[in-house]
Amino acid sequence: AGGGSGAVASGSPAGAASTAPGTGGAASSAAPGAGASGATVKLAAQGIAYDQADITVAAGTAFTIAFDNQDGGIPHNVSIHQGSPTGTAVFTGDIITGVSQTAYSVPALAAGTYAFVCSVHPNMVGTLTVK
């Protein structure tokens, strides 16, 4: 959805966390989900698997998934489902192919347990805890 070529988009139009190259500043020490909207969670796909099995975010706050597909020539995405990988989809990110990155802007979710899954490879799953 965002379109910032390769870099992780902050989701803030005025650049509140202006993604300074390299130095990051004080904002880089904040824990994901610690503050207002715009928290970023990093997730990668490599070897037809996600690099994390469990992610936690704040309820009622939109967040960004900085997704890094490290599998050359292989399509992946992140889709969030209620309760289990086969539950109702509440978010489906665009599929990206090959070594590429994208930033998914996920709307605020209610507290609960969700699954994140690759729409192309349903064996790629993890648990998203929203609290």
Side-chain angles (χ1 to χ4, degrees), residues 1-2 5 12 18 25 27 30 37 50-51 60 64 77 94 96 98 108 111 125 127 130:
S5 62
S12 175
S18 71
S37 70
Y50 290 125
D51 68 339
T64 299
N77 77 332
D94 292 337
I96 60 170
V125 296
T127 300
V130 180

Side-chain angles (χ1 to χ4, degrees), residues 33-39 57-64 106-111 130-131:
S37 70
V57 298
T61 303
F63 63 98
T64 299
V106 182
L109 298 172
V130 180
K131 58 182 180 178

Side-chain angles (χ1 to χ4, degrees), residues 79-92 108-117 126-128 130:
S79 181
I80 299 172
H81 297 253
Q82 289 180 332
S84 74
T86 57
T88 302
V90 296
F91 172 84
T92 301
L109 298 172
T113 301
Y114 299 79
F116 58 93
V117 60
T127 300
L128 173 67
V130 180

Side-chain angles (χ1 to χ4, degrees), residues 16-128:
S18 71
T19 57
T23 56
S28 66
S29 64
S37 70
T40 298
V41 174
K42 293 182 180 182
L43 183 65
Q46 184 173 31
I48 317 220
Y50 290 125
D51 68 339
Q52 297 182 67
D54 296 289
I55 295 173
T56 301
V57 298
T61 303
F63 63 98
T64 299
I65 298 174
F67 182 59
D68 184 4
N69 182 353
Q70 299 176 3
D71 284 335
I74 299 174
H76 294 302
N77 77 332
V78 178
S79 181
I80 299 172
H81 297 253
Q82 289 180 332
S84 74
T86 57
T88 302
V90 296
F91 172 84
T92 301
D94 292 337
I95 295 171
I96 60 170
T97 301
V99 177
S100 183
Q101 297 84 33
T102 192
Y104 296 128
S105 296
V106 182
L109 298 172
T113 301
Y114 299 79
F116 58 93
V117 60
C118 175
S119 299
V120 182
H121 303 99
N123 58 309
M124 290 176 59
V125 296
T127 300
L128 173 67

